[in-house]
Amino acid sequence: MTIAAPVKERRVVGLAKRLRLSKAVVNVILALVAIFWLVPTISLLVISLRPESLFGVSGWWTVFTTPSQLTFGNYATIFSQGFATGGVLDSLLTSLEITIPATLLVTLISSLAAYSLVFGSWRGRDMIFLGIVGLMVVPLQVALIPVVQLYREMGDLFGLNPYGTIPGVIIFHVAFGLPFGIFLMRNFLTGIPKDLLEAGRIEGAGEWKIFYRIVLPLALPAIASLAIFQFIWVWNDLLVALVFLGGNVHSPLTIFLYDQTRSLAANYWIVSTGAVVSIFVPLIVFFSFQRYFVRGVLAGAVK
Amino acid sequence: MTSVVVEGPRVAAPRASHRRGWWRRNWVSLAFLAPGVIWLLAIVVYPTIATIRFSLYDETATKFVGLHNYASVFSTDAILTAFKNNIIWVLVFPFFVTFIGLMVAVLTERIRWATAFKAVIVMPIVFSTTASALVWRTIFDLDPHIGVVNAIEQTVSDWFSTPGAYPLNSAIGQTAASLASFNATGGPGGTLLSKSAVHPGGTVMMGLTRVSAVTLQTLGAQTPLAPQKMAGGIAGLVWNDFSPLQTSNTTTIVSDEHGLPNLRLSLVSSTGSSVASTVTNSSGDFSFSHIAPGSYHVEILGSNFQNAFVGTFWLGAQSITPTSGLNQTAQSLLSVPLIDLAMIISYIWIWAGFAMVLIGAGLAALNREVLEAAEIDGATEWQTLRRVTIPMLAPVLTVVFVTMVINVLKVFDIILNMAPGSSQGPATTLALSIYNDGFTGGIHSGVASTIAVILFILVIPAMLWNLKKIKGGNS
């Protein structure tokens, strides 16, 4: 016993020492990881802030030794072009024209459907919910060709062909946003006590009134998560826009960047500046609603 | 219609009015559900069925061809390449992104600036893959003035061997000896030696050839200066012995020839030891002063011709695995293009934050007492992580892993935007093949639909498994 005690004590001290050391090591490791993770973003920012003439002549990192390279010239050029067709700002506007309606529609339709699935009193609600959740399995690539043809048939039948138009892109995005949206909203709404709705009914409120006066305000956190998730998803989409926008003169930022890249060396200034503009909007959304976004990521693990 | 007694006893109510009552009670609820269901039926369910049908028809969807498209998918090299690349993505990416996410999530718990750190790692998720791919495309650029990776490679390579002023490309068989034209001959170690011996007070001229005009211009080469004798020293000239005006004159200086600047020279005694060194001036002239009497040769050091730095073509399709001697199909199946590696690294940068957030949430929900018990029992941190934390996190880790498998089965944007034209084909994936086969040059529904159906079939098991896990986790 008398021998064992000091040994044990020493071991405890040793462990503490090791922990303290490892804490410093952990900080250094994570600092290096953080720097590595920041380099691409910083490089993009710096390239967009250097004159075009320096691209390919000296690396963007030389800016740290000669900060005088920095200029807002590229941004000035972009803004001087204004909303002219084919410019960065025109694409920014197109991205918003697609993303905002697609987000609003998914949020509204999902909330309505989830409300019906949770608070309706008809049978078979669970089966329908399972069917909708099952649709999350479908990769959107599976639907592309038939929907293009469906759009054409709509054109033949009603004279309204959504192919090549912004609504055409929105319709598709909404469809593929709904399964996850309904899944997320339904899971959240099941947590709302039915008594609250009964109280509304007793006061004579109709379903619609109960929906937007009682349920929607309570569901705001879920709606925020869904809206942010959907917003970023649609904002960053390239494939759906490429397929359904066809040769539309107004293209969202992702297509704008894709088109410019095919002649990368020639106009990288506009690619980098356009890319900064394109990440600016989701970054604002992300930092303003980080909490909801993380919640959406957690819930949307399946998408 | 309104006279129907809804609240009446159900048994007594006539059948029709019972149904009408049901309708009346539920029509609002059904109307709430209708837009979503109709939308899904039209744009998800119907097209899925249509795609399955298209996969059994020819490219214009007019003639039934049975399983012909499926057979051709598995016998087309370009599509086999897509399968191969998807397999590489699935084998490499989910493992590394989960591993990195786990490490980062575990370590983040011990720092005070965890919030800032997490924001940095998560940020790339909100960027479009298009923008991220463009950033990484420059990072991996071949030109060390654009790509930071090759710039680092160049810096490191320069530590070991500084490229000379007159770099030769040994890969295409260029040697220093092949440059010798007048009074010069190849020496050991890629050097050039003056043929004739020289004594103090004498002069030496060495003619080289095949130095490119670009090199001469970059180095600021001037008209050659004939060397002037100097007492107790050796003066000389090294020049580019090639005149476009007098191509046959290889022994004397012509006015439109150039001296060769910046050449590192050494004066070698008859015993073979170097006694002095110097560098040529912009006219190619040089001198060694205070030289002891004796017989000497001038040596042009091999370092002058050191290979120029050739970066790594990260975005190229050259294979990591040996593929020489294989036929086309075997190559499609067995080559691992280098760009896959570059793209996977970039994709990890995008998705590690997602893994970290999910695993971090799992960690936060862990039973702290078990971890503390392990620590008290004297387990090292590594042991705790391996034996306690990871097994307890297994459900979350598998969800992350499977989600990433699904994600890379559908990988598309990063290839389209990161691979230069020459690498698009070798780096293609199933999702990219669907787009290229189906939508370039008009709509071709046959093969593209077939690939889409195969992609669907590949995704289903992973997706169902994930849904089950998540549903189980919620209840």
Side-chain angles (χ1 to χ4, degrees):
Chain A
M1 279 303 271
T2 44
I3 301 166
V7 170
K8 196 172 182 187
E9 216 172 85
R10 210 178 301 147
R11 194 190 284 160
V12 169
V13 170
L15 186 72
K17 242 182 200 165
R18 206 174 337 138
L19 276 174
R20 211 181 312 142
L21 180 76
S22 82
K23 195 153 197 172
V25 172
V26 165
N27 270 296
V28 171
I29 292 173
L30 290 189
L32 290 174
V33 172
I35 290 170
F36 176 81
W37 241 259
L38 279 172
V39 163
T41 315
I42 292 172
S43 81
L44 180 68
L45 205 62
V46 170
I47 292 172
S48 78
L49 290 171
R50 292 174 86 220
E52 184 193 0
S53 54
L54 286 178
F55 186 74
V57 174
S58 61
W60 58 266
W61 49 91
T62 55
V63 83
F64 295 113
T65 46
T66 42
S68 58
Q69 297 172 348
L70 291 177
T71 161
F72 282 103
N74 296 336
Y75 291 93
T77 312
I78 279 176
F79 283 103
S80 72
Q81 288 172 347
F83 291 96
T85 307
V88 173
L89 293 188
D90 176 50
S91 290
L92 180 75
L93 209 61
T94 311
S95 280
L96 287 171
E97 282 169 14
I98 293 171
T99 310
I100 292 175
T103 305
L104 291 179
L105 280 169
V106 163
T107 321
L108 177 68
I109 296 175
S110 302
S111 308
L112 282 170
Y115 176 88
S116 168
L117 290 170
V118 173
F119 301 117
S121 52
W122 42 281
R123 275 193 285 169
R125 302 193 316 273
D126 285 350
M127 285 300 293
I128 289 188
F129 175 65
L130 273 181
I132 291 173
V133 170
L135 291 181
M136 282 203 265
V137 177
V138 182
L140 62 85
Q141 283 84 353
V142 172
L144 295 174
I145 293 174
V147 173
V148 170
Q149 294 186 333
L150 190 74
Y151 282 179
R152 293 208 173 134
E153 279 159 26
M154 280 173 72
D156 293 342
L157 286 174
F158 314 112
L160 281 174
N161 183 355
Y163 180 77
T165 68
I166 287 174
V169 181
I170 295 173
I171 291 171
F172 193 88
H173 273 306
V174 171
F176 277 84
L178 280 178
F180 169 65
I182 296 174
F183 172 75
L184 185 83
M185 291 311 298
R186 192 254 188 193
N187 281 354
F188 191 87
L189 292 191
T190 35
I192 295 179
K194 297 204 168 164
D195 303 350
L196 281 175
L197 277 78
E198 285 309 318
R201 288 210 177 96
I202 288 164
E203 281 171 29
E207 292 291 312
W208 174 252
K209 206 165 189 183
I210 293 172
F211 171 73
Y212 81 84
R213 280 279 166 81
I214 300 175
V215 175
L216 274 196
L218 286 172
L220 258 160
I223 290 175
S225 293
L226 174 59
I228 291 159
F229 199 83
Q230 181 69 13
F231 184 94
I232 289 173
W233 177 262
V234 175
W235 184 268
N236 290 337
D237 159 78
L238 172 67
L239 176 59
V240 177
L242 268 182
V243 169
F244 291 104
L245 224 39
N248 197 312
V249 287
H250 301 286
S251 52
L253 282 164
T254 45
I255 292 193
F256 174 83
L257 294 176
Y258 166 69
D259 281 342
Q260 295 292 335
T261 326
R262 287 188 277 192
S263 46
L264 183 67
N267 44 16
Y268 201 80
W269 72 272
I270 202 170
V271 172
S272 61
T273 315
V276 171
V277 172
S278 87
I279 65 176
F280 193 64
V281 174
L283 263 190
I284 291 174
V285 173
F286 170 65
F287 279 115
S288 329
F289 305 101
Q290 200 174 350
R291 202 156 43 97
Y292 296 111
F293 175 76
V294 168
R295 209 177 288 161
V297 166
L298 289 176
V302 280
K303 186 151 179 176
Chain B
M1 286 247 264
T2 46
S3 63
V4 174
V5 186
V6 180
E7 302 299 321
R10 281 190 187 177
V11 224
R15 211 186 163 85
S17 68
H18 171 69
R19 196 178 296 151
R20 236 181 283 160
W22 181 90
W23 190 242
R24 199 169 149 157
R25 262 180 285 120
N26 293 310
W27 77 269
V28 179
S29 180
L30 292 172
F32 276 22
L33 185 65
V37 168
I38 293 169
W39 213 299
L40 286 169
L41 285 176
I43 312 289
V44 183
V45 178
Y46 157 74
T48 306
I49 297 163
T51 293
I52 296 171
R53 201 187 73 103
F54 283 155
S55 75
L56 302 172
Y57 281 73
D58 68 349
E59 291 298 342
T60 49
T62 45
K63 193 167 146 268
F64 183 79
V65 293
L67 292 176
H68 176 263
N69 287 327
Y70 289 84
S72 74
V73 157
F74 289 106
S75 57
T76 308
D77 287 341
I79 302 172
L80 290 178
T81 306
F83 274 108
K84 185 265 316 277
N85 283 316
N86 264 113
I87 291 169
I88 294 172
W89 276 93
V90 167
L91 288 181
V92 180
F93 175 76
F95 171 78
F96 279 102
V97 84
T98 313
F99 178 77
I100 291 171
L102 172 69
M103 287 301 142
V104 171
V106 168
L107 293 180
T108 315
E109 291 207 314
R110 316 235 201 107
I111 55 169
R112 288 192 187 165
W113 45 292
T115 318
F117 179 81
K118 281 180 187 166
V120 167
I121 308 291
V122 171
M123 215 164 50
I125 306 181
V126 304
F127 299 170
S128 65
T129 310
T130 307
S132 301
L134 299 177
V135 177
W136 281 93
R137 186 172 171 156
T138 57
I139 288 177
F140 281 118
D141 198 282
L142 181 59
D143 185 344
H145 297 111
I146 300 174
V148 72
V149 174
N150 271 314
I152 291 169
E153 280 180 41
Q154 184 180 34
T155 311
V156 173
S157 115
D158 286 357
W159 285 338
F160 297 105
S161 60
T162 320
Y166 299 86
L168 294 173
N169 190 347
S170 55
I172 57 168
Q174 290 181 331
T175 61
S178 68
L179 300 181
S181 162
F182 172 75
N183 187 29
T185 182
T191 60
L192 281 173
L193 277 172
S194 61
K195 275 183 189 165
S196 59
V198 62
H199 304 274
T203 64
V204 57
M205 279 173 55
M206 292 171 77
L208 270 54
T209 184
R210 293 182 198 157
V211 178
S212 79
V214 177
T215 310
L216 292 174
Q217 203 181 353
T218 326
L219 293 169
Q222 307 284 318
T223 314
L225 280 180
Q228 304 295 316
K229 285 184 174 157
M230 54 188 282
I234 294 171
L237 168 74
V238 188
W239 88 106
N240 187 33
D241 186 15
F242 174 78
S243 159
L245 299 175
Q246 301 178 35
T247 46
S248 56
N249 184 339
T250 57
T251 50
T252 55
I253 301 169
V254 184
S255 61
D256 65 337
E257 289 177 339
H258 291 92
L260 294 178
N262 291 359
L263 274 172
R264 283 184 284 255
L265 307 177
S266 160
L267 193 63
V268 183
S269 73
S270 51
T271 59
S273 59
S274 168
V275 295
S277 63
T278 186
V279 176
T280 56
N281 301 319
S282 58
S283 294
D285 55 313
F286 64 90
S287 61
F288 297 103
S289 49
H290 308 296
I291 300 300
S295 168
Y296 298 96
H297 287 273
V298 172
E299 184 187 64
I300 304 176
L301 297 181
S303 64
N304 293 302
F305 310 111
Q306 193 71 248
N307 255 346
F309 169 77
V310 183
T312 311
F313 191 21
W314 288 99
L315 302 177
Q318 70 275 25
S319 178
I320 302 169
T321 51
T323 52
S324 58
L326 296 174
N327 70 28
Q328 194 68 43
T329 306
Q331 275 193 22
S332 323
L333 286 171
L334 294 174
S335 66
V336 179
L338 188 56
I339 186 170
D340 276 7
L341 189 70
M343 292 192 302
I344 288 172
I345 292 172
S346 319
Y347 218 52
I348 288 174
W349 177 77
I350 298 175
W351 285 102
F354 170 84
M356 181 194 71
V357 167
L358 252 87
I359 296 169
L363 269 177
L366 279 191
N367 188 342
R368 291 282 136 183
E369 284 170 16
V370 179
L371 293 181
E372 276 160 25
E375 204 171 291
I376 290 164
D377 285 349
T380 64
E381 290 183 34
W382 179 244
Q383 282 172 332
T384 317
L385 183 67
R386 258 195 60 195
R387 302 272 166 79
V388 186
T389 313
I390 292 181
M392 282 168 74
L393 277 180
V396 181
L397 294 178
T398 39
V399 166
V400 171
F401 187 89
V402 172
T403 306
M404 290 296 117
V405 169
I406 297 168
N407 184 320
V408 292
L409 278 174
K410 299 188 270 189
V411 65
F412 171 81
D413 308 40
I414 193 150
I415 298 140
L416 196 60
N417 288 296
M418 198 165 154
S422 56
S423 305
Q424 288 268 326
T428 191
T429 56
L430 293 176
L432 189 57
S433 298
I434 295 172
Y435 175 71
N436 283 334
D437 286 358
F439 295 98
T440 41
I443 305 270
H444 304 283
S445 56
V447 170
S449 297
T450 309
I451 305 174
V453 170
I454 293 170
L455 183 68
F456 189 18
I457 293 169
L458 290 175
V459 168
I460 286 175
M463 202 75 185
L464 288 182
W465 190 90
N466 233 3
L467 281 175
K468 212 176 107 193
K469 263 273 154 2
I470 286 164
K471 207 167 161 254
N474 278 354
S475 60

